Amino acid sequence: MKSALLLSLFVFFSLPLAAAELTVKISPEAAAVKLSHEDLDLLPQQTVKATEHGGEEAAWTGVPLYQVLQQVGFQFGDSMRGKALAQYVLITASDGYRAVFALPELDPRCTNDPVILALARNNEPLSKEQGPWRLVLPAEKRHFRWVRQVVSVEVRRAE
Ligand SMILES: Nc1nc2c(c(=O)[nH]1)N[C@H]1C(S)=C(S)[C@@H](COP(=O)(O)O)O[C@H]1N2
Ligand SMILES: [Mo]
């Protein structure tokens, strides 16, 4: 009895520590792949300066979004046209907020404007409200695609 209580207390207090995972899907047919903190930490990182919604400039460190997709097997290809170009990337946050990107917006062969899945702000992990992962778009004039608390990245096809 006592041990059952201890066990349930342990489970209850461990829950908030449950490791966050990022779900990545590279096509409607592909199986969802879960990336952990450790997986993302191992990918190539980039630090960018960008001014957040409140007007403060900060250094954001994270993985370019195209690297996340490539890690799971997505191939951007040398030139994109036809059906491949009608794919889009749907970003979903834990509160249900969603934003869409066209593939060329993420591809460094097409644009110099990075789209970063940020893991840290000024060398500190992101706050609970923002993180663990948030999109940062230094070149975008508005902040509506700076999605906080990203939980999934999914490549879909326009009909
Ligand atoms: N998950 C999530 N991300 C979001 C939003 C949201 O409602 N939910 N709002 C967006 C909008 S419209 C803006 S202007 C910025 C605001 O960023 P801030 O909360 O860091 O100020 O977050 C963006 N990211
Ligand atoms: Mo906004």
Side-chain angles (χ1 to χ4, degrees):
M1 184 60 203
K2 202 172 166 196
S3 62
L5 178 68
L6 283 175
L7 180 67
S8 52
L9 281 174
F10 175 77
V11 169
F12 179 78
F13 285 106
S14 311
L15 284 178
L17 298 174
E21 282 179 330
L22 180 74
T23 300
V24 186
K25 235 167 144 327
I26 58 168
S27 79
E29 297 77 26
V33 174
K34 307 259 187 198
L35 297 182
S36 66
H37 262 283
E38 291 73 24
D39 296 329
L40 289 166
D41 284 346
L42 286 173
L43 295 181
Q45 311 273 317
Q46 189 179 341
T47 298
V48 296
K49 283 208 165 154
T51 304
E52 61 195 354
H53 188 57
E56 205 174 311
E57 192 183 67
W60 304 85
T61 304
V63 184
L65 198 52
Y66 81 93
Q67 300 268 18
V68 175
L69 287 169
Q70 281 188 170
Q71 172 66 16
V72 172
F74 187 80
Q75 294 181 345
F76 277 84
D78 276 336
S79 70
M80 206 175 268
R81 52 201 158 99
K83 273 189 180 174
L85 202 50
Q87 299 171 102
Y88 60 94
V89 181
L90 178 67
I91 306 295
T92 306
S94 59
D95 62 352
Y97 193 80
R98 302 195 295 173
V100 159
F101 289 83
L103 290 170
E105 291 184 283
L106 309 182
D107 189 342
R109 281 167 299 194
C110 185
T111 176
N112 289 323
D113 297 338
V115 177
I116 307 287
L117 184 69
L119 321 170
R121 179 185 178 280
N122 292 337
N123 294 316
E124 301 281 347
L126 297 184
S127 66
K128 215 167 82 225
E129 293 70 37
Q130 298 205 15
W133 307 299
R134 145 170 242 179
L135 290 188
V136 169
L137 298 112
E140 209 131 291
K141 290 186 190 167
R142 299 290 298 272
H143 290 77
F144 31 64
R145 292 203 293 182
W146 284 47
V147 182
R148 294 185 300 260
Q149 300 181 318
V150 174
V151 292
S152 90
V153 175
E154 246 182 88
V155 182
R156 295 194 179 184
R157 275 192 295 268
E159 293 305 310

